[in-house]
Amino acid sequence: MTVTATSVDESDQLEPKAAPGSRLARLVRLVPAAVAALSGVLLYVSFPPRTLWWLALPAFACFGWVLRGRGWKAGLGLGYLFGLGFLLPLLVWTGVEVGPGPWIALVAVEAIFVALVGAAITAVSKLPAWPLWAAALWIASEAVRARVPFHGFPWGKIAFGQADGVFLPLAAVGGTPVLGFAVVLCGFGLYEAVRLTLESRQTRVVRRSAATVALLSVAVPVVGALAARGLVSDKAEDGTTTVAVIQGNVPRAGLEFNAQRRAVLDYHVKETLRLAAKVKAGKVAKPDVVLWPENSSDVDPFADAQAYTDIDEAAKAIGAPISVGGVVDRNGKLYNEQILWDPVKGPTDTYDKRQIQPFGEYLPMRSLLGAINKNWTTMVRQDFSRGTKPGVFTMNGAKIGLVTCYEAAFDWAVRSEVTDGAQLISVPSNNATFDRSEMTYQQLAMSRVRAVEHSRTVTVPVTSGVSAIIMPDGKITQKTGMFVADSLVQKVPLRSSETPATKLGILPEMALVLIAAGGLGWAVAAGVRGRRAGDA
């Protein structure tokens, strides 16, 4: 079968007509650009803290409309506009304390990936079953974006906007790639179904094969999600444990709070002592496990005797092991570390954060940036070092997997804790730098997706909120407010079975990347054959 490019832009079928050279004609030419940008905004609105997950479908339907049948150069520009519309508002929190420069620079770079996938989608849009190839291309772009540059930035994966959606159970089937693929495929399929319906009304001809593909593109993701609900369970497999999540709060929001790291530690000690008093009074159940957030002790307890004493006092008072988030200087190297603090033995185990944040915990191209602006290098005076091993703490018989803040966005970082034996996942985080922005809600949604993906209870202890306890079915059972001192205590299930997503690991993502490559290769080959036929 030979597929060639159409001589007429098929997307023109749905665009208004106007006389060439008129003002209306000029406005009509701007319609695709405006729709691309507004579709990106629509996709952003589908993300937390809003629960409008279903808006992702019309967002991709509109994106499919502006791309289908166009040339790759148009796809590049329209894709970039879609990326800007989506990522500019989604990532505005990155400039809360450092200004708009880094925020805009980050979005400008990340939108390039969307631009490239836009160009690629225009190529496959001329193929049969194009929604399949187009959706696979989107997931392939997410796979690349999660790895480069600087070890990747997966924030904004489509799956992370679906914590409240009907597609969520698919996370247990194939992780975030399969969940995201289903959403994008359904969106493109929705547009194709509408397009074919309008076409059949005009031509009085029904293209059955194309119509079948369009319907399947919409129906299969929905049916698959409903069928996958059987994989979602919050039943205990290895008994239960009572966890306590401590949110001590910070003296004030912003980067400056690090200068008050002693106060931050004091706040978390005080909140733990307050909880211990409630337990003693019989108001709250005694926890088996106590979880503190990332940076709850920026004072190195191995170097500061008072910090050591304060944490030890808290552990003894609550009578349970504590996972303490500390900044530790070991042999001249800084580590963002979780410390297992036993009430009798003191510190017994550690986990060093492996996926550290560029421009936050280390500064790429330090010498180059310093040459451009010396003030930039003062933001990260000393780079953190990376950990090399998964972190699973055994706390009163429960195996707790540690995924520190930024790591929750990376598929491999979460999965490695589960395959290393974690029965429960904790995501200690520090969001105080980002004030009351949407960042904390976006990260909380990631944790909900991870709970379903690996069928584990997930706890999210945060310095300043929102801290939460999430069941293996993705439902939040308790959460705190923002910038308040609080604690959450709950008996939660421990689970050890592995979902298909856990077992398969990277394989679903690799399969979708291969599908995308196959579709793109087919489109390129078809285009070459078409040009040769035209020349002949």
Side-chain angles (χ1 to χ4, degrees):
M1 178 179 181
T2 301
V3 181
T4 59
T6 55
S7 59
V8 178
D9 188 338
E10 293 185 22
S11 61
D12 287 343
Q13 296 174 9
L14 299 180
E15 291 182 10
K17 304 297 182 182
S22 68
R23 179 178 295 180
L24 179 58
R26 290 194 294 271
L27 290 175
V28 166
R29 284 197 293 270
L30 293 176
V31 168
V35 171
L38 291 175
S39 297
V41 175
L42 193 64
L43 181 59
Y44 154 70
V45 175
S46 74
F47 271 64
R50 295 158 296 278
T51 57
L52 303 174
W53 57 271
W54 52 271
L55 286 178
L57 303 184
F60 278 103
C62 293
F63 192 40
W65 171 65
V66 299
L67 291 179
R68 190 177 189 281
R70 298 189 186 276
W72 69 268
K73 291 181 182 178
L76 201 67
L78 293 169
Y80 199 76
L81 289 173
F82 183 83
L84 291 179
F86 172 45
L87 295 172
L88 270 173
L90 185 80
L91 302 179
V92 67
W93 51 267
T94 60
V96 167
E97 289 297 329
V98 295
W103 161 50
I104 293 172
L106 173 63
V107 171
V109 172
E110 293 297 312
I112 292 173
F113 293 96
V114 186
L116 292 172
V117 79
I121 288 174
T122 61
V124 301
S125 70
K126 303 174 181 69
L127 298 177
W130 73 268
L132 171 69
W133 314 114
L137 279 166
W138 182 275
I139 300 306
S141 75
E142 287 190 344
V144 175
R145 195 161 65 87
R147 291 165 174 82
V148 293
F150 313 126
H151 298 276
F153 186 73
W155 215 278
K157 292 178 77 170
I158 299 304
F160 296 149
Q162 296 296 309
D164 291 292
V166 298
F167 298 103
L168 180 59
L170 289 172
V173 176
T176 59
V178 168
L179 173 54
F181 174 74
V183 175
V184 180
L185 176 62
C186 198
F188 286 146
L190 182 64
Y191 159 65
E192 181 69 350
V194 172
R195 187 186 72 83
L196 291 172
T197 299
L198 294 176
E199 179 187 272
S200 67
R201 287 181 178 178
Q202 291 178 350
T203 63
R204 302 297 181 181
V205 175
V206 177
R207 292 193 285 155
R208 292 186 179 181
S209 59
T212 300
V213 169
L215 292 175
L216 288 175
S217 297
V218 176
V220 169
V222 175
V223 174
L226 294 175
R229 293 175 66 180
L231 297 173
V232 180
S233 174
D234 60 359
K235 293 182 179 179
E237 295 176 333
D238 304 299
T240 61
T241 191
T242 300
V243 299
V245 171
I246 302 297
Q247 178 175 299
N249 203 10
V250 297
R252 64 174 184 265
L255 293 174
E256 295 82 2
F257 94 92
N258 283 319
Q260 303 183 47
R261 54 190 182 275
R262 174 71 66 177
V264 176
L265 172 58
D266 289 344
Y267 283 12
H268 285 82
V269 169
K270 288 178 181 178
E271 187 58 33
T272 305
L273 295 176
R274 189 177 296 118
L275 176 61
K278 292 180 182 178
V279 171
K280 188 175 182 180
K283 297 179 180 179
V284 179
K286 184 180 184 303
D288 302 308
V289 172
V290 180
L291 303 168
W292 283 12
E294 177 189 35
N295 298 127
S296 48
S297 179
D298 275 350
V299 182
D300 185 351
F302 299 110
D304 188 295
Q306 187 59 52
Y308 188 106
T309 299
D310 291 344
I311 298 171
D312 206 51
E313 177 189 1
K316 284 180 167 59
I318 198 67
I322 304 177
S323 180
V324 177
V327 174
V328 174
D329 187 329
R330 188 180 302 113
N331 300 322
K333 294 183 178 181
L334 277 182
Y335 292 93
N336 186 335
E337 190 166 84
Q338 287 291 311
I339 307 165
L340 175 54
W341 207 286
D342 187 86
V344 177
K345 301 176 182 178
T348 60
D349 200 359
T350 59
Y351 166 64
D352 298 322
K353 187 176 182 180
R354 294 170 291 168
Q355 189 69 40
I356 56 177
Q357 184 180 355
F359 305 100
E361 292 170 308
Y362 78 98
L363 195 62
M365 306 179 296
R366 180 179 289 273
S367 58
L368 175 61
L369 293 176
I372 298 173
N373 188 333
K374 290 184 178 180
N375 291 331
W376 290 351
T377 60
T378 62
M379 294 173 57
V380 185
R381 295 183 182 276
Q382 182 180 350
D383 292 342
F384 279 80
S385 297
R386 297 175 184 275
T388 58
K389 299 179 181 179
V392 178
F393 289 167
T394 300
M395 304 176 72
N396 264 338
K399 294 182 178 180
I400 315 296
L402 285 307
V403 180
T404 307
C405 195
Y406 184 57
E407 292 182 320
F410 293 83
D411 295 347
W412 66 267
V414 184
R415 178 177 179 268
S416 66
E417 309 301 71
V418 178
T419 57
D420 204 46
Q423 300 166 308
L424 179 150
I425 298 171
S426 182
V427 186
S429 304
N430 175 19
N431 299 338
T433 301
F434 306 111
D435 201 19
R436 296 181 180 273
S437 70
E438 293 181 357
M439 182 271 186
T440 189
Y441 299 103
Q442 293 170 9
Q443 190 178 56
L444 186 60
M446 290 181 195
S447 298
R448 294 178 63 191
V449 172
R450 298 305 185 191
V452 174
E453 181 179 13
H454 299 291
S455 194
R456 295 291 186 274
T457 298
V458 177
T459 60
V460 187
V462 185
T463 50
S464 56
V466 173
S467 299
I469 296 176
I470 305 166
M471 289 293 99
D473 60 3
K475 291 184 175 61
I476 298 174
T477 53
Q478 290 191 61
K479 64 180 180 179
T480 70
M482 295 184 71
F483 293 98
V484 294
D486 204 351
S487 60
L488 307 174
V489 179
Q490 184 175 325
K491 181 183 288 187
V492 298
L494 299 175
R495 294 177 59 85
S496 58
S497 63
E498 293 187 352
T499 64
T502 307
K503 294 175 181 176
L504 293 171
I506 198 175
L507 292 179
E509 184 179 63
M510 290 177 61
L512 290 170
V513 169
L514 289 174
I515 291 171
L520 191 57
W522 183 11
V524 171
V528 171
R529 288 195 298 269
R531 284 192 295 272
R532 288 176 179 174
D535 292 341

